[in-house]
Amino acid sequence: MIIKRITIFAAAVGLFGMAGLALAKEKAGTPAKEKAGAGMSEYTKGNQLFEAKQYEQAVAEFAKAIEADGKQPAFYENRGFAYIALEKGTEAAADFSKAIELTPKDERAYMGRAQALLLQKDYAQALADANKAIELKPDNAIGYKFRGFAEIGLSQWDKAVADFTTANQKNPDDPQNYDRRAWANRNLKNYDAAVADYTTLIEKNPADAEALVKRGATYTSLTQYEKAIADYQAALKLKPDDYDTVQRLQYVQSTVAAKNAPPPTATPTPTPEKPGLITPLNIGIAMALLIIIAIILRLVTRGKAEETSGRIR
């Protein structure tokens, strides 16, 4: 009996800024042949529910399979991927750890646990698991992709660029590799390289409003405002109600308007006119002086004797 292993790789929404939980399936290289036994019917049903995106129900069926036979690593792996789809990183990590215990050289279990650890923002441990997965299977692009995610979480921008470049070479059709490499390059201020990756995404999917907004933001960092405006306007045609993009557009437009505005005309400062001699103040001073003079004269003449005449009257 062939046990079907589901390999699902997801990126957390809050951690990596993707539009949603991105699920990608990869077929197992050579599925292990197992004898039909306890838990197989529940396991098969769990896979069917998983394919139907009924993840809670899938978890329940995988749990029944594990209860029936706890020695099958695929039972734990597939329940772990169902937990990842539900963004339950702690539960997923525990299942992948059990699968690793049962099959220490299964690179999928390490990649699954790396992904679960990324959901928990445990970047250092996720990096260690991604390294182990790459060691076990160097040609698998997913290992480099997850290591790049961990390196972004650790702000190891140069290493992230290198890993996403390798992932791109091995799988050029995965848009996350371009998007995350662009983000790492933006943090390194390698804006031209980031623009190139966003342009690739837009060429592959002209309706990718998110890539247009991100390229617009990168053009803004390059002070290429006209190109930024064009990208924001194109994004708003796809998503007219995106308030964040509206704000970005208004900011760049106001920046361009301020830059192109003519310099203000200087207003000459009027020269104050010299006041004339006849002013209320001067008149007041003159009147005060006259009064003072009159008082002084009065005081001087008050005690002086009058002249007498020698004529006898």
Side-chain angles (χ1 to χ4, degrees):
M1 182 76 178
I2 295 177
I3 289 187
K4 181 182 179 183
R5 284 192 172 100
I6 301 172
T7 307
I8 294 182
F9 303 104
V13 181
L15 180 58
F16 302 116
M18 305 309 291
L21 190 67
L23 300 178
K25 297 181 182 178
E26 180 186 86
K27 294 180 180 178
T30 306
K33 289 186 177 181
E34 304 284 353
K35 293 180 180 179
M40 284 307 302
S41 61
E42 292 86 354
Y43 179 76
T44 300
K45 186 176 181 180
N47 288 336
Q48 292 169 348
L49 289 166
F50 188 97
E51 294 291 340
K53 299 183 180 180
Q54 298 179 31
Y55 303 120
E56 292 283 4
Q57 295 89 329
V59 164
E61 290 300 322
F62 290 136
K64 292 177 184 177
I66 290 168
E67 186 177 353
D69 183 358
K71 298 296 183 182
Q72 295 289 350
F75 293 1
Y76 293 98
E77 282 184 11
N78 285 21
R79 187 172 70 174
F81 289 124
Y83 276 134
I84 284 178
L86 293 167
E87 298 190 56
K88 294 183 177 181
T90 301
E91 294 86 343
D95 273 350
F96 289 119
S97 293
K98 183 63 178 180
I100 289 169
E101 179 185 325
L102 294 170
T103 54
K105 293 187 177 181
D106 185 353
E107 83 284 349
R108 287 167 304 182
Y110 285 101
M111 285 191 281
R113 190 170 69 179
Q115 187 176 1
L117 291 167
L118 288 170
L119 285 171
Q120 299 177 73
K121 299 185 180 182
D122 189 346
Y123 305 122
Q125 290 302 314
L127 183 64
D129 275 349
N131 282 333
K132 185 65 177 179
I134 292 169
E135 177 188 327
L136 291 169
K137 195 171 183 180
D139 291 333
N140 193 326
I142 297 295
Y144 298 95
K145 175 180 176 176
F146 281 176
R147 190 165 71 180
F149 283 154
E151 287 159 347
I152 282 180
L154 294 168
S155 299
Q156 297 176 2
W157 310 113
D158 286 313
K159 292 181 179 180
V161 168
D163 273 336
F164 285 117
T165 298
T166 301
N168 262 333
Q169 292 168 349
K170 297 181 180 300
N171 182 13
D173 296 325
D174 186 342
Q176 279 188 323
N177 293 333
Y178 296 97
D179 180 89
R180 296 295 84 192
R181 184 172 67 178
W183 174 243
N185 271 315
R186 283 174 65 182
N187 281 276
L188 290 168
K189 300 188 185 304
N190 295 334
Y191 298 124
D192 289 329
V195 165
D197 275 341
Y198 291 134
T199 300
T200 298
L201 288 174
I202 294 164
E203 288 172 350
K204 288 176 176 288
N205 180 14
D208 189 345
E210 187 175 359
L212 284 164
V213 171
K214 290 177 179 178
R215 190 174 70 174
T218 311
Y219 278 136
T220 300
S221 298
L222 286 165
T223 67
Q224 297 180 15
Y225 300 122
E226 297 298 339
K227 291 181 179 179
I229 289 172
D231 275 351
Y232 291 144
Q233 288 175 336
L236 286 171
K237 287 182 180 179
L238 296 167
K239 291 185 176 181
D241 298 328
D242 190 332
Y243 181 67
D244 179 66
T245 304
V246 171
Q247 284 192 312
R248 289 174 181 268
L249 176 60
Q250 289 174 344
Y251 168 77
V252 178
Q253 287 175 330
S254 63
T255 300
V256 171
K259 181 181 177 181
N260 295 333
T265 303
T267 303
T269 303
T271 303
E273 294 182 2
K274 293 182 179 181
L277 293 176
I278 301 175
T279 64
L281 177 61
N282 289 346
I283 292 172
I285 293 172
M287 291 182 66
L289 288 173
L290 289 173
I291 292 171
I292 292 171
I293 292 169
I295 293 171
I296 292 172
L297 290 173
R298 178 63 179 166
L299 291 173
V300 169
T301 59
R302 176 179 293 178
K304 188 174 181 180
E306 291 184 1
E307 293 183 0
T308 59
S309 174
R311 182 182 301 177
I312 300 173
R313 293 182 179 177

